[in-house]
Amino acid sequence: MSRYEELPTPAAIIDLDVMEANIASMAKRLQACGIDHRPHIKSHKSAAIARKQLEAGAIGITTAKLSEAEVFAASGISSILIAYPIIGPDKLARLAALHRQAELIVTVDSLAGAEGLSRVGVQTGKPVRALVEIDGGLHRGGRQPGADALRFGLMVQALPGIEVAGIMGYFGKIYGNKNKEGFVDAIREESRIIQETAALFKDAGLSISIVSTGSSPASLMCEQLDGIVTEVRAGNYAFFDASGVSMGLAREEDCALRIVATVVSTPLPGRATIDAGTKAMTSDKAHHRDGFGIVVGYPDVQVAGLNEEHGFLQFDPDKTNLQIGDRLEIIPNHSCVIPNLNQRVAGVRKGRLAEWITIDARGCNY
């Protein structure tokens, strides 16, 4: 049974003690490796949580979208990396306004994008600091490592109003690994690619004052990153989720974000329906795990399916007896999706509601 009877379900909750321990542990780990942290706030979209990360030693934040950067700058956070191409006159106009008031860093991987940033720098009289994005293997964006990235970096540096501050990579294929050995090999390859490209930039006279990489797995194993890496951008580590558990990166007790749901129907033996569907959880699949989340305390119960307002549980009725009205805690497959589904999330401590956490950048995907 859930301890949060005061919350209407479905309810997203964050165990603040667990989250703060995750934040502190990552900060200590990175400090020991001599690597700065610029956490990715897409995982929580909350200024209050970002401030906890900054208080723990983070040097700034990373956002996915310009609108997120606008919200966090308005909250008083000024050092922001926008890790997404800024394309189109509407976004360039907004970037120019934000660039005047905050210490922005942007990423770039196309000449069209670089020319737009150049115009912003000339217009504002304040050079735009840019990181050349390296394709880390997902092929969703970025220049190819090595000579292609170098040629592009030299082209960008030659433009007025823009300065190359270094390189950035996201090596998302790391999530395909299932054990520590696989993660270590992937991180070492990530480090090798970043190191070789950074060396080319340095030899050509381009700045590598910022060498930014690192998913949560790579950040958790930062001792495998070469010393040339200056910062990482872990995000999911603050909450963890069912994917992290299945990959061995976290234990259930490390998962700070959960969904409290109520059993609302038991149509057949071994079947139950909860009041949390895709609008409360996420349809994202987990890495190396079936179903749509971990039902805490019920290892034999599977969240077998979701639609908008319903979750479908399957279990052995000879082992488990779920009753209408039972309240369950579910660790979602992908925690980063959940805050964006809520205007606020319940912050809890020791089984009691402690505070409401505003999701300041909810819906900021533009």
Side-chain angles (χ1 to χ4, degrees):
M1 295 290 290
S2 172
R3 295 172 291 176
Y4 307 107
E5 298 292 340
E6 69 269 40
L7 297 176
T9 62
I13 64 170
I14 297 170
D15 189 307
L16 299 174
D17 292 327
V18 174
M19 181 189 71
E20 289 165 0
N22 291 341
I23 291 172
S25 176
M26 180 64 82
K28 182 178 180 181
R29 187 183 304 270
L30 291 172
Q31 184 179 23
C33 290
I35 298 174
D36 289 329
H37 194 195
R38 187 180 292 277
H40 209 312
I41 59 80
K42 72 178 179 65
S43 298
H44 55 72
K45 290 178 171 263
S46 163
I49 296 176
R51 282 191 282 271
K52 288 181 181 292
Q53 293 171 312
L54 292 167
E55 289 164 4
I59 62 168
I61 64 169
T62 302
T63 70
K65 295 296 182 70
L66 177 58
S67 55
E68 292 174 333
E70 290 168 332
V71 168
F72 279 81
S75 78
I77 296 173
S78 61
S79 181
I80 302 172
L81 167 63
I82 304 174
Y84 205 90
I86 307 295
I87 302 295
D90 59 325
K91 291 184 175 62
L92 289 170
R94 288 164 52 205
L95 179 70
L98 188 61
H99 180 55
R100 289 184 173 98
Q101 60 176 296
E103 296 304 315
L104 297 182
I105 308 166
V106 297
T107 62
V108 64
D109 70 351
S110 70
L111 185 58
E115 289 172 342
L117 297 176
S118 172
R119 291 193 295 272
V120 169
V122 171
Q123 173 190 343
T124 61
K126 178 183 178 183
V128 174
R129 300 181 72 204
L131 305 181
V132 173
E133 183 177 358
I134 308 300
D135 181 356
L138 285 181
H139 308 316
R140 70 179 190 186
R143 309 299 299 196
Q144 295 310 299
D148 176 60
L150 174 61
R151 284 193 296 270
F152 178 70
L154 291 169
M155 292 170 62
V156 174
Q157 187 64 36
L159 294 172
I162 188 171
E163 60 182 49
V164 173
I167 61 176
M168 183 210 82
Y170 175 63
F171 292 76
K173 293 178 69 176
I174 192 172
Y175 289 100
N177 291 288
K178 301 180 181 180
N179 53 48
K180 183 175 181 180
E181 292 74 19
F183 281 114
V184 168
D185 288 345
I187 296 165
R188 287 177 176 170
E189 178 65 6
E190 174 178 340
S191 181
R192 181 192 67 80
I193 292 170
I194 286 289
Q195 181 181 4
E196 289 179 359
T197 302
L200 289 175
F201 272 52
K202 183 178 180 180
D203 290 345
L206 292 174
S207 171
I208 52 168
S209 61
I210 299 174
V211 179
S212 178
T213 189
S215 55
S216 284
S219 301
L220 288 166
M221 303 179 195
C222 57
E223 66 276 3
Q224 304 298 332
L225 291 170
D226 185 84
I228 202 166
V229 172
T230 65
E231 67 178 44
V232 293
R233 308 180 310 277
N236 178 264
Y237 80 99
F239 296 151
F240 288 118
D241 49 30
S243 287
V245 173
S246 67
M247 289 186 289
L249 298 172
R251 306 163 299 171
E252 286 189 23
E253 54 264 39
D254 298 319
C255 296
L257 188 147
R258 303 177 179 203
I259 307 299
V260 182
T262 299
V263 175
V264 295
S265 182
T266 53
L268 290 168
R271 300 289 189 270
T273 304
I274 55 175
D275 60 355
T278 58
K279 289 180 177 177
M281 301 206 299
T282 172
S283 58
D284 284 6
K285 295 288 189 178
H287 297 285
H288 319 304
R289 180 185 180 87
D290 293 330
F292 294 91
I294 297 171
V295 183
V296 178
Y298 294 89
D300 62 318
V301 176
Q302 183 183 52
V303 185
L306 300 172
N307 61 25
E308 286 184 88
E309 307 293 354
H310 302 81
F312 304 103
L313 307 185
Q314 294 182 7
F315 52 91
D316 184 343
D318 293 329
K319 295 180 179 179
T320 300
N321 181 25
L322 292 180
Q323 301 291 324
I324 292 175
D326 286 351
R327 293 163 69 93
L328 308 173
E329 290 181 32
I330 300 169
I331 300 171
N333 281 349
H334 187 190
S335 62
C336 301
V337 180
I338 307 304
N340 197 52
L341 300 175
N342 296 272
Q343 292 179 330
R344 62 180 189 173
V345 174
V348 302
R349 293 189 192 273
K350 297 177 173 57
R352 301 292 298 263
L353 176 65
E355 62 184 89
W356 288 102
I357 301 170
T358 300
I359 308 304
D360 305 271
R362 183 194 183 197
C364 291
N365 57 357
Y366 51 93

